């Protein structure tokens, strides 16, 4: 097999003629301004290698990928108690659907759809002011990435706050069922800022390494979560990480992953590597079109699919 650097460069080169395919998330005005003709790939191995191609050093809004990090914090605070408020099953519905939430009495199907992530954020907010909870998440992600330049894009956070009417509806609906404890504006203030985390593919790949290495950062030896918890987070990413496109992603790529409408995808090859891709154009279910194809090509070239291991 060719070396990883050659593989990621080959994939980038193969997709170059297709840059710009898909549609940017124009319902968030700040994201509508992004140049869609970009593609970054970063592979961080558990052995300490970092392989980059394309726009891997360009910061982008990670959006729902942040839900993985917030879930990790919530599990650290309340452990398995989080599952009293959020389910662990695929939704089969759009990420911002309210219909399923009503039918299931305010308990979101999983922590990666918007309603579930909002409930998780409410858990992390306990005992904090919103600014403190945002700071806790930012410190955690900087620690994981080993990079203090990771930041929050305030313009994106403002843009989401001004247009996030459906998220306000979801949060208020859950509060009516007693599944949101804090004022909705506080919870969503934290939620919109977490989604506005700005990272490069290189930073994001490094931040996900603990999920590829049984819960520990292989570069420092520091334990982030237990091996059992890392395995369970990966399981949720495989089943639920791409909204109602999760089955298709598992079928084509075969790796745990979490997408964001900013065009990023974090993927985990257990025991081997953490991978981040970014291309702003989205497919019809809100996942990066070229990013998904890049990961399918990577899994095929490397044999990293969990169904091959």
């Amino acid at each position: 097999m060719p070396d990883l650097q050659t593989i990621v460069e080959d994939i980038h080169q193969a997709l170059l003629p297709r840059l710009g395919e898909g549609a940017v998330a124009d319902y968030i005005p700040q994201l509508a301004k992004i140049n869609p003709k970009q593609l970054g790939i970063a592979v961080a191995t558990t052995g300490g290698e970092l392989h980059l191609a394309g726009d891997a050093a360009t910061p982008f809004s990670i959006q729902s990928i942040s839900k993985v990090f917030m879930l990790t914090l919530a599990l650290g605070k309340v452990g398995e108690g989080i599952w009293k408020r959020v389910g662990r099953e695929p939704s089969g519905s759009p990420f911002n659907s309210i219909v399923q939430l009503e039918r299931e009495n305010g308990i979101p199907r999983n922590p990666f759809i918007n309603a579930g992530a909002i409930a998780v954020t409410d858990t992390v907010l306990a005992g904090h002011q919103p600014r403190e909870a945002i700071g806790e998440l930012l410190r955690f992600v900087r620690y994981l990435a080993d990079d203090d330049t990771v930041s929050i894009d305030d313009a994106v956070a403002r843009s989401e706050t001004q247009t996030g009417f459906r998220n306000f509806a979801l949060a208020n609906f859950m509060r009516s069922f007693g599944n949101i404890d804090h004022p909705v504006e506080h919870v969503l203030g934290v939620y919109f800022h977490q989604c506005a985390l700005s990272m490069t593919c290189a930073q994001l790949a490094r931040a996900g390494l603990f999920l590829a290495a049984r819960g520990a950062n292989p570069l420092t030896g520091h334990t982030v979560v237990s091996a059992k918890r890392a395995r369970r987070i990966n399981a949720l990413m495989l089943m639920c990480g791409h909204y109602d496109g999760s089955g298709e992603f598992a079928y084509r790529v075969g790796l745990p992953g979490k997408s964001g409408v900013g065009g990023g995808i974090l993927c985990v090859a257990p025991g081997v590597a953490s991978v981040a891709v970014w291309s702003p154009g989205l497919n019809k279910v809100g996942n990066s079109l070229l990013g998904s194809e890049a990961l399918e090509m990577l899994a095929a070239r490397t044999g990293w699919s969990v169904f091959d291991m």
Side-chain angles (χ1 to χ4, degrees):
M1 186 179 73
D3 65 81
L4 275 174
Q5 186 59 41
T6 298
I7 290 173
V8 297
E9 290 175 358
D10 285 351
I11 292 170
H12 181 262
Q13 193 66 30
L15 292 174
L16 268 180
R18 298 177 56 189
L19 290 188
E21 288 187 16
V24 297
D26 56 5
Y27 57 89
I28 300 174
Q30 202 65 23
L31 297 186
K33 301 175 182 179
I34 302 298
N35 173 13
K37 294 187 175 183
Q38 300 182 81
L39 171 64
I41 307 171
V43 178
T45 71
T46 54
E49 299 173 5
L50 183 64
H51 301 281
L52 309 176
D55 301 295
T58 301
F60 64 94
S61 179
I62 73 167
Q63 292 293 311
S64 287
I65 301 171
S66 66
K67 296 171 182 176
V68 174
F69 305 124
M70 195 61 104
L71 175 63
T72 304
L73 284 178
L75 286 166
K77 284 179 176 288
V78 300
E80 296 294 298
I82 190 69
W83 307 123
K84 296 176 182 178
R85 303 183 59 182
V86 184
R88 298 192 298 268
E89 297 294 336
S91 67
S93 299
F95 58 84
N96 56 2
S97 172
I98 199 169
V99 175
Q100 195 170 58
L101 193 60
E102 180 171 18
R103 191 167 58 244
E104 298 179 355
N105 299 316
I107 303 296
R109 187 65 69 88
N110 66 67
F112 294 148
I113 55 174
N114 286 18
I118 290 167
V120 169
T121 298
D122 183 63
T123 300
V124 174
L125 186 55
H128 291 309
Q129 292 298 315
R131 185 178 296 274
E132 294 168 340
I134 295 166
E136 181 180 8
L137 175 67
L138 185 57
R139 286 190 298 274
F140 181 53
V141 175
R142 285 174 172 173
Y143 163 72
L144 294 176
D146 191 25
D147 192 332
D148 285 341
T149 67
V150 174
S151 63
I152 291 173
D153 188 327
D154 289 327
V156 172
R158 283 195 301 273
S159 185
E160 295 201 53
T161 302
Q162 292 163 1
T163 58
F165 307 115
R166 188 179 287 259
N167 286 321
F168 276 99
L170 291 169
N172 277 300
F173 200 78
M174 286 189 290
R175 190 162 169 83
S176 76
F177 280 98
N179 200 20
I180 293 292
D181 297 328
H182 300 88
V184 165
E185 60 272 19
H186 290 183
V187 179
L188 289 179
V190 177
Y191 178 72
F192 292 141
H193 279 80
Q194 80 179 55
C195 290
L197 271 170
S198 179
M199 301 178 73
T200 68
C201 287
Q203 291 169 332
L204 186 57
R206 285 195 297 263
L209 263 177
F210 77 101
L211 292 172
R214 296 176 57 82
N217 183 331
L219 307 184
T220 64
H222 295 158
T223 297
V224 180
V225 297
S226 68
K228 178 180 179 181
R229 183 159 290 168
R231 184 174 68 248
R232 288 180 164 178
I233 293 171
N234 282 335
L236 286 165
M237 290 170 68
L238 182 67
M239 295 186 298
C240 312
H242 299 269
Y243 312 120
D244 45 336
S246 297
E248 182 74 5
F249 189 84
Y251 179 81
R252 293 188 176 278
V253 179
L255 291 171
K258 183 70 197 83
S259 65
V261 297
I265 303 175
L266 172 65
C267 234
V268 177
V272 183
S274 170
V275 184
V277 297
W278 170 61
S279 189
L282 309 179
N283 61 22
K284 62 182 180 180
V285 291
N287 302 317
S288 175
L289 193 156
L290 293 187
S292 298
E293 299 213 9
L295 289 166
E296 182 177 358
M297 294 166 72
L298 180 67
R301 290 282 297 273
T302 58
W304 284 351
S305 166
V306 296
F307 304 110
D308 285 334
M309 292 179 173

